[in-house]
Amino acid sequence: MLPTEIPQLNDYSASSVEAFFTQLKTTFDTEAQSANTAEKVEALRVKWIGRKQGLLNHISGLLKKAPAETRRDVGMQFNTFKKYVDLVCDIDARKKLWDADLAEIGIVIERPKVRSIDITLPGSVRAPGIPHPLLKTMNEIVAVFHNLGYSTALGPQVESDFYNFEALNFPPNHPARDTQDTLVLADQQAKPSRDRLLMRTHTSPVQVRSMIAQAPPIRIVVPGKVHRNDAADATHSPVFHQVEGLCVDTDITFSDLKGTLDHAMKALFGSSVKTRFFPSFFPFTEPSADVQISCIFCAGKGCRKCKQSGWIELLGCGMVDPAVFASVTEARRKLDPADDAYNPAKITGFAFGMGVERIAMIQHGISEIGHFFSGDMRFLEQFA
Ligand code: PHE
């Protein structure tokens, strides 16, 4: 009984022998096509041309019975088929053939001499990224206010004079503008002053943008990058970050502002931290205050970090000035002449703004603001 792969051979006429090999080749090709791994190719080789059980052994036995006058012809066909099987089963030969084919169309494959992989070699480990320490602090501040029901609002870094100054009650040429040394875009003299573009000096313009877009109640935090024409030193950078806050509703009072910021400072620096509010001035808040926290380095006793005062100044805040509501109302009335959403007789609000670098420096005891922007991995890695 011959294996089923071997077709019937009725006689040794040239046409029968040719048909025999054609069918054999079809069977072999089908099997070779699914032999797509080195192991499968090796199994195919053993099955067809293995020294003992190979199918070709059976076939050569079969062909030996051919009559003498056809034996030469039959033998040649057998050899051709055997060479074919040999070649297909020899992986290296297949690769070389393949490489030669590729070389013909100009592709040169460099095959490594040693094909095995050293599994004992350590892999190349790529350190996962981490949030930049400033982003981390910014996210922490924002999260404190998200937990109080605030949502996040964002605004552009290239801002118009109107949003950055005028609507916030800094009139053109008013000396209050000197407190924020501004970077302005060149060649804008032809524009009316309120339309001239500048790099925003604070995140407060987003207060105005948000109120124009939305009627009260408003509770937003605004994280973002701001720019000032300041010389860089240990605590100043011309580019820095702020988180702004704005709350507008009926019956918002200064004690709401105090309670909110006292809570936020305790959430950021620990529950033993005390806050105090110092009279200050901003054109867009009235009254205004600077918030100080008890020194977290000496617990208020007085040290080098707090200049022996026991207090560290952290942020500016105040009740939204009615002049800001007036600018907002003027802008809203261009869309709806009857708009009265920001009538200061009906609503009040508070706002605050804090510097992210300053807070991060106090949190981590960093004395040079430049570290945040140097890109030095020895610094950044410490926040992983
Ligand atoms: N925008 C002010 C600054 O950059 C901070 C501030 C914001 C003060 C909101 C009061 C209210 O200095």
Side-chain angles (χ1 to χ4, degrees):
M1 219 358 227
L2 284 171
T4 51
E5 283 87 346
I6 300 177
Q8 195 83 45
L9 182 63
N10 301 321
D11 56 61
Y12 294 91
S13 69
S15 63
S16 293
V17 172
E18 202 181 308
F20 172 80
F21 277 112
T22 307
Q23 204 180 327
L24 204 58
K25 185 171 180 296
T26 309
T27 309
F28 174 76
D29 280 347
T30 313
E31 288 188 26
Q33 225 138 63
S34 54
N36 51 5
T37 65
E39 286 86 342
K40 286 183 189 166
V41 174
E42 173 59 12
L44 185 75
R45 191 190 64 76
V46 172
K47 177 175 174 181
W48 285 80
I49 47 177
R51 231 173 260 279
K52 283 186 186 143
Q53 293 302 314
L55 289 175
L56 261 68
N57 287 337
H58 291 286
I59 294 165
S60 85
L62 189 68
L63 299 178
K64 282 207 179 90
K65 292 178 199 136
E69 67 277 16
T70 61
R71 212 171 279 160
R72 200 180 113 87
D73 197 33
V74 167
M76 267 165 61
Q77 292 205 47
F78 175 81
N79 281 338
T80 308
F81 182 67
K82 184 170 184 299
K83 261 190 200 151
Y84 176 72
V85 174
D86 249 321
L87 201 64
V88 173
C89 291
D90 183 341
I91 301 173
D92 264 328
R94 286 174 91 189
K95 283 214 183 105
K96 278 177 203 137
L97 271 181
W98 193 54
D99 287 1
D101 282 348
L102 289 177
E104 253 185 56
I105 55 168
I107 299 170
V108 178
I109 305 275
E110 294 266 9
R111 289 198 186 281
K113 294 274 179 300
V114 181
R115 253 186 261 111
S116 56
I117 299 166
D118 181 354
I119 58 164
T120 65
L121 272 181
S124 48
V125 179
R126 224 194 254 211
I130 52 146
H132 189 279
L134 277 180
L135 271 185
K136 230 165 140 177
T137 296
M138 193 142 90
N139 289 338
E140 268 173 51
I141 301 168
V142 165
V144 167
F145 290 96
H146 280 184
N147 288 338
L148 294 173
Y150 284 62
S151 44
T152 297
L154 299 172
Q157 287 179 53
V158 179
E159 190 51 284
S160 72
D161 186 283
F162 173 76
Y163 288 111
N164 195 83
F165 289 125
E166 226 184 286
L168 288 166
N169 199 27
F170 293 82
N173 303 316
H174 193 280
R177 292 190 175 211
D178 296 347
T179 60
Q180 304 194 355
D181 208 347
T182 314
L183 295 156
V184 297
L185 274 70
D187 300 328
Q188 297 189 90
Q189 286 79 353
K191 287 185 187 169
S193 92
R194 57 160 58 186
D195 294 340
R196 291 183 197 163
L197 297 176
L198 44 86
M199 302 309 290
R200 69 175 175 193
T201 56
H202 51 175
T203 41
S204 302
V206 187
Q207 289 187 30
V208 179
R209 287 179 173 274
S210 301
M211 288 190 277
I212 291 175
Q214 185 193 321
I218 281 192
R219 281 171 181 78
I220 52 165
V221 266
V222 185
K225 213 185 276 291
V226 301
H227 303 70
R228 289 191 198 175
N229 186 22
D230 285 341
D233 64 21
T235 55
H236 292 84
S237 158
V239 181
F240 61 105
H241 300 79
Q242 290 187 330
V243 175
E244 185 89 8
L246 173 69
C247 168
V248 184
D249 205 339
T250 50
D251 301 321
I252 298 294
T253 67
F254 199 88
S255 61
D256 294 315
L257 170 61
K258 286 186 77 174
T260 302
L261 290 179
D262 186 67
H263 165 81
M265 293 306 115
K266 286 180 163 64
L268 288 171
F269 295 103
S271 53
S272 59
V273 144
K274 291 190 188 68
T275 52
R276 76 177 182 181
F277 289 68
F278 230 69
S280 184
F281 174 80
F282 299 101
F284 42 94
T285 48
E286 182 61 32
S288 303
D290 283 329
V291 180
Q292 303 176 347
I293 61 165
S294 53
C295 179
I296 60 162
F297 301 104
C298 62
K301 286 190 200 70
C303 67
R304 228 165 49 104
K305 297 259 188 194
C306 59
K307 298 192 186 97
Q308 309 304 330
S309 74
W311 295 91
I312 295 178
E313 197 175 300
L314 262 195
L315 62 120
C317 66
M319 301 306 290
V320 179
D321 194 303
V324 177
F325 290 142
S327 306
V328 167
T329 299
E330 188 192 316
R332 288 174 64 92
R333 287 200 175 150
K334 286 186 185 141
L335 302 169
D336 173 7
D339 180 80
D340 199 33
Y342 286 90
N343 181 346
K346 292 196 260 178
I347 49 96
T348 48
F350 65 72
F352 55 85
M354 54 188 104
V356 180
E357 281 78 358
R358 186 163 163 73
I359 291 178
M361 286 167 80
I362 292 168
Q363 275 182 330
H364 302 296
I366 297 165
S367 51
E368 278 280 341
I369 198 171
H371 286 311
F372 291 125
F373 308 112
S374 67
D376 187 336
M377 290 303 287
R378 292 169 301 180
F379 172 76
L380 296 173
E381 266 168 6
Q382 297 178 50
F383 300 91

